[in-house]
Amino acid sequence: MLYSVAAFATAILAWISYLFGLVFYRLYLSPLSKFPGPKFAAASKWYEFYFDVVLRGQFTFQIQRMHRKYGPIVRINPFELHVEDSDYWEELYTGSKEYERYDWMLGRFGANTTTSSTAKSDLHAIRRAPLNPMFSKRSITKFEPVIKEKVELLSKAIAAYREDGRLLILSDAFNAFAGDVIATYCFGFSYNHMESPDFIDNFHPAYEAVRKFAHLALHFPVAYLDLRSKIANIIDDKGVTHNQSRHPTIFSELLESDLPQQEKTVGRLGAEAQQMIGAGLETVAWALTTTVYHIIDKPSILKRLRAELEEAMPDSTVILDSLYLEKLPYLNACVKEGIRLSSGVSVRLPRVSQEKIMKYKDWVIPIGTPVSMTTIDVLYDQHIFPDSRSFVPERWLGNPKTKEGESLNRYFVPFGKGPRACIGINLANVELHLALAIIFRRFTFELYETDSSDIEMAHDFFVPSPKLDSMGLRVKVNAITVP
Ligand code: HEM
């Protein structure tokens, strides 16, 4: 008995000494010890755990506070640096095609075999290559008739709320719309979520559950396993069966591509499908929700947009092709400003260089160190986008420049940049132009118990999330002209 107490005490003592040694190493001997930042963050990942898991998606805001105190480059945990300097974005993301993603951050959705969760740049390039043609402007234009059908369904569903005066949760409608579009492009069929009563059957709640859990899964990956089955119940392996639809689908093309056989397993393609649906659904739906909220909320913007749409589409029953819609300056500016404010993903995007030495100004970054930036830091940068939290489409008209005379487009980073940038830009742009043109050509809305707190980011759950008790973007519908 005495022996086991002594052994236990020795083990505890050894453990405590190890912890002291580890913290001492991280604070004073690690190659990152010269970088500024809070000691607690440098000592342990529990710091990040506290802000993201206990306080629920708050670390991204804490990083911003660190920058205010310590400057543009900070050590945010024992292993990683974060930069807040909009001018550094291009260098970090387009500096080298060899930069990798950070392994540790990739398992958060329980899969590390998908294109977006592939750390190594050479394997990433192999996995991305057969997807690229499906997301080209040309391919998306071929798919556009299907998107138009979905927009008509959306319009029909919204019109039904006008007829019976019910309250419409537009954010749910957008989740159903974006989910039906991306599922159809992936598999050749969708679950017709737009036809479900009050859009109740959309994918968003399942993805939201996984995302809310992802900070914990990052620190304890094993905890993920259980949740994975939740999503698997919704998205089954139909995505990897052969395509019988009238247009090419992402997964039929992947199957027919010359990807090596081991890259075509049901397991890998199933995981790819889950992430593809999530990537295409949540970002587009949130961009639509954000944009529509601001347009409804600001009568002068609504008036100007409607005038442009009425002139371009005198007959509201005819939906113009996106090719023409993208040439409407004010609609285009509204789309861009909506995407800017909705900001894509709110999580930081690390890059790691295994060969080339990275630098930030005079700071030399040790090889193998993950360096991250966050889209919201650039997109909400007051210096580049004055009054950055307001919806101001006018800032995109003409040939907009920063105070320094740089093109404003240089800082339009919601899709990321470089070899790992969003693959779905063309699809997202077509969806947003078509949906917004039809919605504001055919309907007017009154906000119902919805304010900016239902739209502004309060939590980072990988994508921006508003306050936890938000009831969504709720409106009463009035029609101007409905076919
Ligand atoms: C407003 C809409 C969208 C925004 C703002 C957005 C934003 C982003 C961002 C910030 C990234 C990460 C870039 C990086 O790590 O540097 C990304 C990656 C990705 N997005 Fe999007 N996205 C949108 C729509 C879509 C759509 C419609 C799809 C279609 C399926 C899509 C598919 C993907 C994929 C597959 C990746 C991973 C690319 C890779 O790792 O090679 N996204 N997106």
Side-chain angles (χ1 to χ4, degrees):
M1 173 72 182
L2 213 59
Y3 175 76
S4 58
V5 170
F8 182 68
T10 313
I12 294 280
L13 213 63
W15 178 243
I16 292 173
S17 319
Y18 166 74
L19 285 185
F20 268 110
L22 186 67
V23 169
F24 184 82
Y25 170 80
R26 286 176 176 174
L27 292 185
Y28 302 106
L29 305 176
S30 149
L32 295 189
S33 53
K34 63 182 177 197
F35 287 90
K39 294 280 180 236
F40 279 123
S44 163
K45 274 193 178 163
W46 287 105
Y47 187 84
E48 175 170 352
F49 179 93
Y50 172 72
F51 283 99
D52 261 352
V53 180
V54 180
L55 299 185
R56 316 217 55 196
Q58 297 300 308
F59 193 51
T60 211
F61 301 115
Q62 181 59 13
I63 294 176
Q64 292 177 330
R65 285 189 282 270
M66 289 186 208
H67 282 296
R68 285 200 286 277
K69 183 160 179 198
Y70 297 99
I73 183 161
V74 287
R75 184 183 183 189
I76 56 170
N77 66 35
F79 314 106
E80 191 180 344
L81 301 171
H82 188 276
V83 175
E84 193 187 87
D85 175 347
S86 302
D87 284 317
Y88 190 62
W89 188 278
E90 275 186 357
E91 195 174 329
L92 182 60
Y93 295 101
T94 63
S96 163
K97 63 180 177 28
E98 303 305 327
Y99 289 171
E100 299 177 352
R101 286 217 163 111
Y102 179 24
D103 250 335
W104 178 67
M105 283 188 72
L106 296 175
R108 65 171 69 208
F109 298 123
N112 55 8
T113 57
T114 64
T115 305
S116 65
S117 67
T118 304
K120 298 276 169 218
S121 48
D122 44 1
L123 183 55
H124 169 264
I126 292 173
R127 288 179 170 160
R128 182 158 166 150
L131 289 170
N132 280 334
M134 283 304 286
F135 287 97
S136 69
K137 191 100 188 129
R138 204 157 155 241
S139 297
I140 298 299
T141 306
K142 278 197 202 148
F143 181 61
E144 186 164 327
V146 179
I147 307 178
K148 280 188 178 172
E149 278 170 25
K150 303 291 181 201
V151 174
E152 276 301 357
L153 280 175
L154 176 68
S155 168
K156 199 171 139 202
I158 294 176
Y161 286 82
R162 155 84 172 89
E163 274 148 34
D164 57 22
R166 267 176 307 145
L167 195 63
L168 165 62
I169 305 182
L170 257 179
S171 37
D172 286 351
F174 295 147
N175 279 312
F177 164 71
D180 280 355
V181 170
I182 185 63
T184 310
Y185 202 38
C186 280
F187 312 133
F189 71 92
S190 79
Y191 291 88
N192 297 327
H193 288 157
M194 269 189 294
E195 284 163 28
S196 70
D198 288 331
F199 312 100
I200 198 91
D201 292 332
N202 69 74
F203 288 137
H204 173 70
Y207 279 99
E208 190 182 38
V210 171
R211 283 189 293 96
K212 283 186 169 166
F213 192 73
H215 288 308
L216 182 63
L218 197 61
H219 294 268
F220 298 104
V222 99
Y224 183 83
L225 293 175
D226 191 38
L227 270 182
R228 198 181 165 133
S229 60
K230 206 170 183 175
I231 259 205
N233 288 338
I234 299 179
I235 304 167
D236 56 28
D237 288 338
K238 284 188 187 113
V240 292
T241 59
H242 284 280
N243 176 31
Q244 289 168 352
S245 79
R246 60 200 153 93
H247 55 83
T249 68
I250 296 172
F251 285 90
S252 61
E253 295 302 296
L254 273 186
L255 275 175
E256 276 153 38
S257 72
D258 46 16
L259 266 180
Q261 226 33 56
Q262 74 269 18
E263 292 290 312
K264 294 185 182 175
T265 60
V266 168
R268 195 188 88 75
L269 293 190
E272 187 84 284
Q274 286 178 13
Q275 286 198 0
M276 192 66 80
I277 300 264
L281 158 72
E282 305 240 78
T283 45
V284 171
W286 188 242
L288 277 171
T289 301
T290 306
T291 315
V292 168
Y293 166 79
H294 285 292
I295 295 175
I296 301 174
D297 191 45
K298 290 169 197 69
S300 61
I301 294 178
L302 178 62
K303 197 170 158 207
R304 186 165 175 187
L305 176 63
R306 178 153 299 135
E308 185 182 75
L309 292 174
E310 281 173 359
E311 197 186 333
M313 296 193 293
D315 178 356
S316 74
T317 61
V318 179
I319 312 183
L320 284 185
D321 289 345
S322 65
L323 192 72
Y324 297 104
L325 292 176
E326 282 168 15
K327 292 199 177 107
L328 299 180
Y330 203 65
L331 173 65
N332 211 21
C334 287
V335 170
K336 218 158 174 182
E337 184 68 345
I339 296 178
R340 181 186 72 83
L341 275 183
S342 70
S343 80
V345 298
S346 45
V347 72
R348 62 189 191 271
L349 301 169
R351 292 295 182 268
V352 186
S353 173
Q354 302 295 2
E355 281 164 22
K356 188 177 148 190
I357 292 187
M358 280 184 180
K359 281 189 175 172
Y360 171 70
K361 295 195 168 158
D362 291 337
W363 293 96
V364 177
I365 296 164
I367 283 199
T369 305
V371 182
S372 52
M373 292 183 74
T374 313
T375 59
I376 48 169
D377 294 344
V378 180
L379 296 169
Y380 287 9
D381 183 334
Q382 271 294 118
H383 184 75
I384 311 239
F385 300 104
D387 200 7
S388 66
R389 290 183 182 270
S390 300
F391 185 82
V392 186
E394 287 72 13
R395 70 170 97 241
W396 296 107
L397 294 175
N399 182 14
K401 300 246 193 278
T402 64
K403 286 176 198 146
E404 282 73 30
E406 286 278 356
S407 165
L408 205 55
N409 285 317
R410 183 176 163 206
Y411 302 95
F412 185 69
V413 300
F415 296 103
K417 282 198 179 168
R420 307 282 181 131
C422 177
I423 206 170
I425 301 177
N426 294 323
L427 177 59
N429 268 326
V430 171
E431 287 182 72
L432 282 156
H433 278 85
L434 287 172
L436 291 173
I438 287 313
I439 286 173
F440 288 110
R441 177 65 185 86
R442 293 183 184 169
F443 303 99
T444 56
F445 305 94
E446 283 163 49
L447 293 173
Y448 179 84
E449 294 181 2
T450 300
D451 61 31
S452 57
S453 67
D454 295 292
I455 305 300
E456 276 163 15
M457 171 176 158
H459 302 267
D460 156 35
F461 292 131
F462 194 80
V463 294
S465 303
K467 62 184 182 186
L468 295 174
D469 59 352
S470 172
M471 310 273 279
L473 170 54
R474 294 181 294 162
V475 297
K476 291 275 187 184
V477 184
N478 302 309
I480 336 172
T481 43
V482 178

